[in-house]
Amino acid sequence: MGDTDDGERSLARRDASPLATGDPYERQYMKGEGLVLYRAKQRTPWPMNALIGALALSSVIPAVLGLPGAWITAVTMLPVLFVVWALFAVLRVTVSEGNVNVQYGLFGPTIPMAAIESVTPTEYKWTTFGGWGIRRGPGGIWLYNMPGDGGRAVRIEWRDGKGRRRVTLIGSPNHVELAETISKARLALPGAAPAPALSEGQRALDDGE
């Protein structure tokens, strides 16, 4: 028993580094179960940030020049652009001993480790899903991706609390490392661990409701 426990807990060695703490948002809203084994954060590439900035300027400049109705347009557009930028500026992924937590802005699933049936590093074409962000593709597959992952992703097949099969793709330039970490965490689970049910909020997000 002692040797087995030591082997399972060895997954947590990386948790002694700053990896364990994350930023304030992650500590507050992405708490895992057990020790943190992996944490990654992808930011929106600068061209997309520049595009949002250009749109913001295009609404502000007419207002500064005093064009009729320009202030109304600026007051309407600026909050919308800020919200869009804030929601989709960062794709976060954490893997703990108990779950895989994915959040694109404020949205994404928490996948119980015991509910995962398979995990595989793979490649995808963004055109199949119609772009980047939170996308639903053929067969009801959900993709969470950010430009810059090179078409690399981790494919997770799992069951929700009602036994329904789910497939989630997580875009990641380090897809092999991410998949290996999840696989090791699954192997470290007790053999009889049940698949915990998801909350209603998590089910709603994954159903696209």
Side-chain angles (χ1 to χ4, degrees), residues 59-60 63 69-84:
S59 66
V60 171
W71 278 112
I72 296 177
T73 301
V75 170
T76 302
M77 283 192 63
L78 289 178
V80 172
L81 289 172
F82 176 78
V83 169
V84 170

Side-chain angles (χ1 to χ4, degrees), residues 36-165:
V36 175
L37 310 175
Y38 179 96
R39 175 177 278 110
K41 182 163 57 176
Q42 300 179 59
R43 297 185 181 277
T44 303
W46 72 264
M48 296 186 68
N49 289 327
L51 176 60
I52 293 177
L55 291 173
L57 283 176
S58 69
S59 66
V60 171
I61 291 176
V64 173
L65 295 176
L67 298 181
W71 278 112
I72 296 177
T73 301
V75 170
T76 302
M77 283 192 63
L78 289 178
V80 172
L81 289 172
F82 176 78
V83 169
V84 170
W85 177 83
L87 288 179
F88 300 103
V90 182
L91 170 61
R92 306 170 189 265
V93 181
T94 61
V95 179
S96 67
E97 293 176 306
N99 57 48
V100 178
N101 197 332
V102 183
Q103 286 202 4
Y104 205 128
L106 302 178
F107 307 101
T110 297
I111 304 174
M113 197 64 67
I116 296 175
E117 296 183 340
S118 68
V119 55
T120 312
T122 188
E123 295 183 356
Y124 73 95
K125 293 182 178 180
W126 67 267
T127 52
T128 301
F129 293 85
W132 294 277
I134 303 175
R135 319 295 298 186
R136 190 170 188 177
I141 298 175
W142 282 99
L143 169 67
Y144 297 82
N145 71 334
M146 183 78 75
D149 61 25
R152 297 183 290 269
V154 172
R155 177 188 175 99
I156 302 177
E157 298 184 15
W158 55 290
R159 300 277 178 176
D160 66 15
K162 293 185 177 180
R164 295 173 296 191
R165 181 175 177 272

